[in-house]
Amino acid sequence: MDNNAADAKEITSCDDPDAPWNREYSAEEMAGWNDGVVREFRENNGRVGGDYAGATLLLLTTTGAKSGKQHVVPLGALYRGDVLYVSSFIEDRYPAWVHNAKADPRVTIELGGEKFAATAEVLTGARYDEFAAWALAENSLLAEYQAKVDKPLPLVVLTRNT
């Protein structure tokens, strides 16, 4: 992947055909998708090229709720002031990392060239409602996508352990 952020196209709509989540990929491409992004992230102190050039990504390591195995997923790092949070576009079900974080909130985060232990809080109830109102008002891509799906988008706050 090319690490030149100048080549990145700004995504302004969740329906943008250039957005990675709107492209069709073969089963072979998808099978190793995260592996390639994770490898590139680690080789370049948190920077990746290609579809994610210029984006601030983090790697979230969770423990499988059923398997007990470690799983690493690249996600966009989102902020509310100093509060780090993550979300995901969903369709019919939440991604495995949300279920894993709910079952075991002890996670590891890699952000830039730094790696640290953190606690994941999968927001629910009144805390979710308040945070979602803010997030959807501040993040047009999340708001646009939420308007298209019935299930609430996952919101997970990540707090660095001290």
Side-chain angles (χ1 to χ4, degrees), residues 28 51 82 126:
E28 295 81 27
D51 291 330
D82 292 336

Side-chain angles (χ1 to χ4, degrees), residues 41-127:
F41 181 101
R42 288 177 173 159
E43 290 172 356
N44 295 293
N45 289 319
R47 291 186 312 272
V48 296
D51 291 330
Y52 299 106
T56 302
L57 294 182
L58 62 79
L59 299 182
L60 178 68
T61 302
T62 61
T63 301
K66 293 180 183 176
S67 70
K69 295 180 182 177
Q70 298 290 291
H71 298 278
V72 180
V73 61
L75 296 167
L78 303 170
Y79 291 92
R80 181 180 187 181
D82 292 336
V83 176
L84 175 62
Y85 73 100
V86 289
S87 187
S88 181
F89 293 158
I90 58 167
E91 296 210 11
D92 59 339
R93 59 192 162 122
Y94 291 131
W97 64 264
V98 174
H99 296 290
N100 294 345
K102 191 178 278 191
D104 184 350
R106 296 171 299 175
V107 299
T108 301
I109 297 171
E110 295 173 62
L111 184 59
E114 191 176 11
K115 183 175 184 177
F116 54 92
T119 301
E121 178 189 3
V122 179
L123 300 182
T124 60
R127 179 123 157 88

